[in-house]
């Protein structure tokens, strides 16, 4: 079990990845902000299935935090993250400083329309420009064949897919399902901020979304299923930012009769902690 090697500069990253590619080895990238948990390790496992060489980036990206958000207190512990990655077969960690990613005078911002509209953007208007800018940089810096993102951040995943397509970035974007606690609570680095009480009540978020998804699949109207889910989430002790059913592919409006899959996405706050989650609404008929 070897702790992965760490590079902190783009030149060093390119040198290592370039050697692998010249040797004909495929490379998969898992972008993270550190504070790694089992959800990240599932992304790493997916990356390892996709390519023999796995790079994990660890960078708490300042441009995706608003001034009032938790950039200063976001959990950072590189040693612990490296120890978590050691048994996972990660070859390289790219852990740049802010100045490496955003050199003095950096003035290029990537904004994605389409799937970035609404949902998270209503509460966090700065967020996707920060994510898209840093992900565009990571994808071009690493030049990986594959990059893996979690379905937990479903809107982010859609934004990243759109950005890679629109900018002709030749990295294949793959996803991995959300990892949950036995209670159904989606794993998130921000769960560390929850009190024991709120953590127990937070399981109500996933239960409510799953119930709504089941209802829509069974033919209940989206309005009624979503209204019930919202009331249940509030009854668990949350203040709801949004609960919405969208088309799973485009994140545009969901059309129940189109046969296309939907996704119910939600964000809600409990005990000062903002959690997001989402569940699939599978409408495609299974072939007997
Ligand atoms: O999902 C995250 O951890 C971040 O948004 C990402 C994709 C690493 C960009 O900073």
């Amino acid at each position: 079990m070897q702790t992965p090697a760490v590079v902190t500069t783009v030149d060093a990253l390119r040198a290592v990845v370039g050697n692998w590619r010249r040797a004909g080895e495929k490379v998969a990238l898992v972008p993270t902000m550190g504070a790694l948990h089992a959800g990240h390790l599932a992304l790493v496992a997916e990356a390892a299935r996709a390519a023999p060489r796995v790079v994990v980036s660890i960078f708490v990206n300042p441009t995706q935090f608003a001034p009032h958000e938790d950039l200063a207190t976001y959990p950072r512990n590189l040693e612990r993250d490296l120890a978590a990655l050691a048994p996972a077969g990660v070859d390289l960690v790219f852990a740049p400083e802010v100045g490496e990613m955003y050199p003095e005078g950096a003035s290029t911002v990537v904004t994605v329309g389409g799937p970035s509209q609404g949902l998270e953007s209503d509460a966090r208007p700065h967020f996707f420009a920060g994510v898209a800018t840093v992900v565009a940089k990571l994808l071009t810096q690493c030049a990986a064949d594959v990059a893996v993102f979690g379905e937990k951040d479903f809107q982010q995943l859609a934004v990243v897919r759109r950005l890679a397509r629109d900018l002709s970035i030749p990295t294949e974007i793959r996803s991995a399902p959300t990892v949950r606690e036995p209670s159904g609570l989606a794993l998130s680095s921000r769960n560390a901020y929850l009190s024991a009480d709120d953590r127990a009540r937070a399981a109500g978020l996933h239960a409510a979304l799953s119930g709504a998804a089941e209802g829509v699949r069974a033919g209940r109207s989206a309005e009624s299923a979503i209204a019930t889910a919202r009331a249940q989430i509030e009854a668990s002790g949350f203040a709801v930012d949004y609960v919405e059913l969208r088309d799973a592919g485009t994140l545009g409006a969901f059309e129940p009769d189109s046969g296309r899959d939907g996704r119910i996405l939600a964000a809600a706050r409990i005990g000062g902690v903002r959690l997001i989650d989402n569940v699939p609404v599978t409408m495609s008929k299974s072939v007997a």
Side-chain angles (χ1 to χ4, degrees):
M1 236 170 38
Q2 220 179 329
T3 306
V6 180
V7 292
T8 58
T9 65
V10 176
D11 285 350
L13 171 70
R14 286 198 168 131
V16 177
V17 171
N19 284 338
W20 292 335
R21 295 180 70 90
R22 276 188 292 279
E25 293 180 306
K26 275 179 80 172
V27 182
L29 169 70
V30 180
T32 81
M33 298 208 299
L36 302 180
H37 51 63
H40 296 107
L41 298 181
L43 304 184
V44 170
E46 179 61 29
R49 281 191 287 276
R53 295 295 188 179
V54 175
V55 179
V56 172
S57 65
I58 298 180
F59 178 63
V60 182
N61 173 35
T63 63
Q64 67 190 76
F65 291 77
H68 64 277
E69 292 180 346
D70 55 347
L71 174 62
T73 55
Y74 196 85
R76 293 168 174 85
N77 190 332
L78 185 59
E79 289 313 310
R80 222 190 52 193
D81 288 341
L82 293 177
L85 292 175
V90 170
D91 298 282
L92 187 70
V93 166
F94 175 47
E97 296 291 335
V98 173
E100 181 71 9
M101 293 300 277
Y102 296 104
E104 192 60 38
S107 37
T108 302
V109 175
V110 178
T111 55
V112 179
S116 76
Q117 275 152 24
L119 303 168
E120 282 303 285
S121 290
D122 288 344
R124 309 179 72 197
H126 60 284
F127 179 66
F128 284 120
V131 168
T133 302
V134 82
V135 169
K137 289 167 73 71
L138 289 166
L139 294 180
T140 50
Q141 288 163 346
C142 186
D145 300 278
V146 172
V148 185
F149 294 81
E151 288 181 4
K152 155 80 169 35
D153 298 287
F154 198 80
Q155 192 179 10
Q156 170 175 279
L157 174 63
V159 168
V160 168
R161 285 194 198 285
R162 186 66 61 94
L163 126 86
R165 191 204 67 174
D166 289 357
L167 296 182
S168 310
I169 296 175
T171 303
E172 180 197 342
I173 307 300
R174 288 203 192 172
S175 64
T178 303
V179 179
R180 300 183 181 280
E181 293 188 353
S183 69
L185 177 65
L187 296 196
S188 160
S189 306
R190 290 190 169 105
N191 290 354
Y193 302 147
L194 291 169
S195 69
D197 237 32
D198 287 340
R199 201 182 185 99
R201 295 192 302 163
L205 177 58
H206 179 242
L209 298 184
S210 301
E214 199 40 60
V216 175
R217 269 194 296 264
R220 190 170 173 194
S221 82
E223 293 70 31
S224 146
I226 294 294
T228 303
R230 176 180 273 271
Q232 288 169 337
I233 295 165
E234 283 169 354
S236 298
F238 283 94
V240 173
D241 278 358
Y242 62 81
V243 187
E244 287 190 36
L245 172 57
R246 295 277 186 106
D247 181 284
T250 61
L251 290 190
F254 174 75
E255 305 290 348
D257 298 327
S258 68
R260 289 173 56 82
D261 291 339
R263 200 91 187 178
I264 301 179
L265 304 99
R269 287 163 284 118
I270 188 162
V273 184
R274 187 171 183 278
L275 300 180
I276 61 171
D277 203 348
N278 65 85
V279 296
V281 182
T282 309
M283 303 301 280
S284 27
K285 306 252 180 314
S286 58
V287 182

